[in-house]
Amino acid sequence: MSISGLPALPASDRPDVAARLRDALLGASFTADGLLDLLGAPAYAALARSETVPALRATRGDTPLEVLVRLFLLQQPVPHARVEAVLPLDACLESGWLVPAGVDEVAATVDVRPYGGPDGEDWFIVSDLGCAVGGAGGIGSREEGVVLGVGGASTTLAGITVRTPASSALDLGTGSGIQALHASRHATRVTATDLNPRALHITALTLALSGAPAADLREGSLYEPVLDDETYDLIVSNPPFVISPGARLTYRDGGMGGDDLCRSLVQGAGDRLNEGGFAQFLANWQHVEGEDWQDRLRSWVPRGCDAWIVQRETQDVTQYAELWLRDAGDHRGDLAEYQARYDAWLDEFEARKVKAVGFGWITLRRTGAAVPSITVEEWPHSVEQPLGETVRTHFDRVDYLRSHDDAALLEGRFRLVTEVVQEQVGLPGAEDPEHVVLRQHRGMRRATKVDTVGAGFAGVCDGSLSAGRILDAIAQLVGEDPVLLRDRTPAQIRLLVEQGFLEPAE
């Protein structure tokens, strides 16, 4: 299969060849762990920076693993005889995984990168030559239909996705198929769509080579390939979210004005989710002069959905334009052309009154609640991936707080979440701390200030006593009116539950 001058891809309708190739790769320890053992940490890390010299030096021998690393990761021609000793060569040539190259040599037609699944699965991600992160020379092709491998955005989305059992999952803009591959572990039926037919072909290769069930592959933009009566338990998308003037590169540029593609993606999810189902996206959004960015995002949330939106970073328009111009390699080309493209980005932002661009995660959950919960926050600090369970429990806590007024909250019993520690901050030698901080060492790794009552309350929450009884004991200890303490504390309890410091014990 060839698109826009890109090379033909291996046949995707030969699962027998993919299975034989997979067996050969595993037999040679062509896995994430095998690569680390062979290359060593420095050379392995250098590959992630698209530096191949250390890996080339580490693969000068004749072992099967060295042959495969040179062939599929470093895209080096390898002598026919050496490959034949490792792979089903004739079948790979016939189906297009390999092609003749030079005299008595063969070369790979695609990048194949080992990828470790969340439960130790040995998977393989297929992408176009030179387009696998950690591959030969980094992302070198800028053809319109090029399909990239796994990058930081891909692994971020995979890490935040809720992994509860699902009857159906939808991967919009599947690319190399990494999200569909993850979904195949816990969804009975996986549908994957992409505007680029080459991406669908590569997704089929990724799934087959990883030993995963085939997905229902559909060509089209956004929700176009989805039938009106189709709904899903999970929708995920790492879309082409880059806000750019035009749609030069299919894999990253949305092709709509401003952040309209991300808005359309989010707004369209509501009617396609089953009750209790999740939709999870990575997105960019505009910070527009005179407009609150949080209100802008709240307006995207479809009716009947709870939402948790986390802004992870922001860039001013010059930083943003430079990032994506460099991503395309424009800074290495003609200077006048680079400057003209830079100018076009700034013209576009100026016309839309955009002063900055935000990046982050958007999670929706279909709910039957009369008043949905919408949380929009900025959290640029480090987190602990995977976060899927943290995301799921966030919405569990939303349900709990929504169904418990202050009186019910005081009747409830709570536990301090594991890995939460208390820090006291103050001047050395002072009798009392200036303030007390509760800090999470897992998940979102939040920190929050609490008063002495809040700290004392959290410290004794082990699920055995109701919140009201704990507050009565604290009131007696500090000499405060227990009625007044019961009146003013539920807001602090509610915040500690909402942010994941406390969990309901029942």
Side-chain angles (χ1 to χ4, degrees):
M1 180 181 183
S2 180
I3 295 177
S4 302
L6 290 167
L9 293 172
S12 60
D13 58 351
R14 292 292 304 273
D16 58 321
V17 177
R20 292 173 64 190
L21 178 55
R22 172 178 172 78
D23 288 343
L25 297 179
L26 294 176
S29 296
F30 187 66
T31 63
D33 289 340
L35 288 182
L36 183 58
D37 289 343
L38 171 69
L39 302 178
Y44 192 78
L47 265 183
R49 301 190 300 270
S50 300
E51 295 291 347
T52 59
V53 171
L56 287 167
R57 291 173 60 87
T59 55
R60 291 180 289 194
D62 293 328
T63 68
L65 181 54
E66 288 170 296
V67 169
L68 294 175
V69 170
R70 282 187 164 254
L71 190 64
F72 286 117
L73 267 188
L74 304 177
Q75 278 97 58
Q76 299 294 306
V78 178
H80 188 286
R82 292 179 63 187
V83 176
E84 193 170 29
V86 182
L87 298 177
L89 182 57
D90 289 341
C92 287
L93 286 167
E94 180 186 350
S95 60
W97 287 94
L98 304 175
V99 291
V103 179
D104 295 328
E105 291 183 322
V106 295
T109 58
V110 287
D111 270 297
V112 175
R113 183 188 185 192
Y115 179 88
D119 292 324
E121 300 93 341
D122 288 314
W123 288 339
F124 300 96
I125 308 301
V126 180
S127 64
D128 272 313
L129 289 172
C131 295
V133 177
I139 300 168
S141 174
R142 283 297 172 267
E143 295 283 352
E144 181 181 349
V146 73
V147 179
L148 304 190
V150 176
S154 303
T155 55
T156 293
L157 179 59
I160 68 172
T161 300
V162 176
R163 299 296 175 191
T164 52
S167 63
S168 56
L170 173 64
D171 176 15
L172 288 167
T174 187
S176 61
I178 178 61
Q179 308 306 330
L181 183 56
H182 275 278
S184 71
R185 295 177 57 252
H186 62 100
T188 304
R189 175 173 58 90
V190 177
T191 301
T193 74
D194 205 290
L195 180 64
N196 182 2
R198 189 176 181 86
L200 297 176
H201 191 125
I202 282 182
T203 291
L205 297 174
T206 289
L207 294 173
L209 195 58
S210 298
D216 178 4
L217 304 177
R218 304 182 190 179
E219 183 180 344
S221 177
L222 299 179
Y223 297 101
E224 288 176 2
V226 179
L227 301 179
D228 291 341
D229 61 347
E230 286 183 304
T231 55
Y232 298 86
D233 297 320
L234 175 67
I235 299 173
V236 293
S237 184
N238 174 19
F241 53 67
V242 176
I243 300 171
S244 60
R248 184 160 59 109
L249 300 174
T250 302
Y251 73 88
R252 71 166 205 194
D253 298 326
M256 296 185 184
D259 52 17
D260 283 354
L261 182 136
C262 291
R263 176 183 55 79
S264 299
L265 192 65
V266 174
Q267 290 180 336
D271 293 337
R272 295 169 175 86
L273 279 177
N274 294 323
E275 188 71 21
F278 288 90
Q280 299 186 260
F281 311 109
L282 301 185
N284 274 173
W285 43 79
Q286 299 172 147
H287 286 229
V288 180
E289 185 177 342
E291 183 178 335
D292 186 288
W293 68 270
Q294 294 182 325
D295 289 343
R296 180 182 187 84
L297 290 175
R298 287 189 186 95
S299 73
W300 289 9
V301 178
R303 186 184 302 274
C305 287
D306 292 328
W308 183 21
I309 301 173
V310 181
Q311 179 168 274
R312 295 289 290 156
E313 63 178 302
T314 58
Q315 292 182 311
D316 67 47
V317 293
T318 59
Q319 292 174 313
Y320 188 79
E322 290 163 13
L323 169 67
W324 294 110
L325 288 167
R326 288 179 176 275
D327 171 80
D330 293 326
H331 63 299
R332 295 192 296 267
D334 179 79
L335 178 60
E337 185 177 354
Y338 170 77
Q339 292 176 334
R341 283 181 171 157
Y342 198 153
D343 234 0
W345 284 68
L346 297 185
D347 284 345
E348 178 81 4
F349 287 133
E350 185 176 346
R352 295 180 175 275
K353 297 183 179 180
V354 177
K355 57 184 180 179
V357 177
F359 167 80
W361 319 323
I362 298 177
T363 299
L364 308 176
R365 185 190 59 167
R366 187 75 185 176
T367 179
V371 181
S373 166
I374 301 176
T375 300
V376 184
E377 63 175 318
E378 185 165 19
W379 189 254
H381 312 293
S382 64
V383 299
E384 183 190 49
Q385 286 276 34
L387 275 170
E389 184 62 13
T390 299
V391 173
R392 187 192 65 77
T393 56
H394 166 88
F395 289 95
D396 286 347
R397 294 193 302 270
V398 165
D399 285 340
Y400 179 87
L401 293 173
R402 187 160 45 200
S403 63
H404 286 68
D405 60 15
D406 286 356
L409 209 60
L410 291 174
E411 290 297 318
R413 293 177 292 112
F414 301 94
R415 282 191 297 262
L416 189 66
V417 173
T418 305
E419 301 292 337
V420 172
V421 298
Q422 176 179 305
E423 300 174 357
Q424 296 188 167
V425 181
L427 295 173
E431 183 175 347
D432 297 313
E434 292 180 22
H435 57 263
V436 177
V437 174
L438 298 181
R439 187 178 302 277
Q440 300 168 352
H441 283 268
R442 304 294 298 272
M444 292 293 287
R445 293 178 174 166
R446 296 186 187 276
T448 188
K449 289 183 182 179
V450 292
D451 60 19
T452 53
V453 170
F457 178 86
V460 298
C461 278
D462 61 2
S464 61
L465 297 174
S466 70
R469 289 186 62 185
I470 293 174
L471 290 178
D472 290 344
I474 291 175
Q476 185 176 7
L477 186 65
V478 300
E480 188 168 341
D481 185 333
V483 175
L484 294 178
L485 193 61
R486 278 175 173 255
D487 283 345
R488 69 178 175 85
T489 307
Q492 190 168 189
I493 298 174
R494 195 171 291 275
L495 180 65
L496 291 175
V497 173
E498 179 184 342
Q499 294 192 345
F501 292 93
L502 295 176
E503 62 184 3
E506 59 267 23

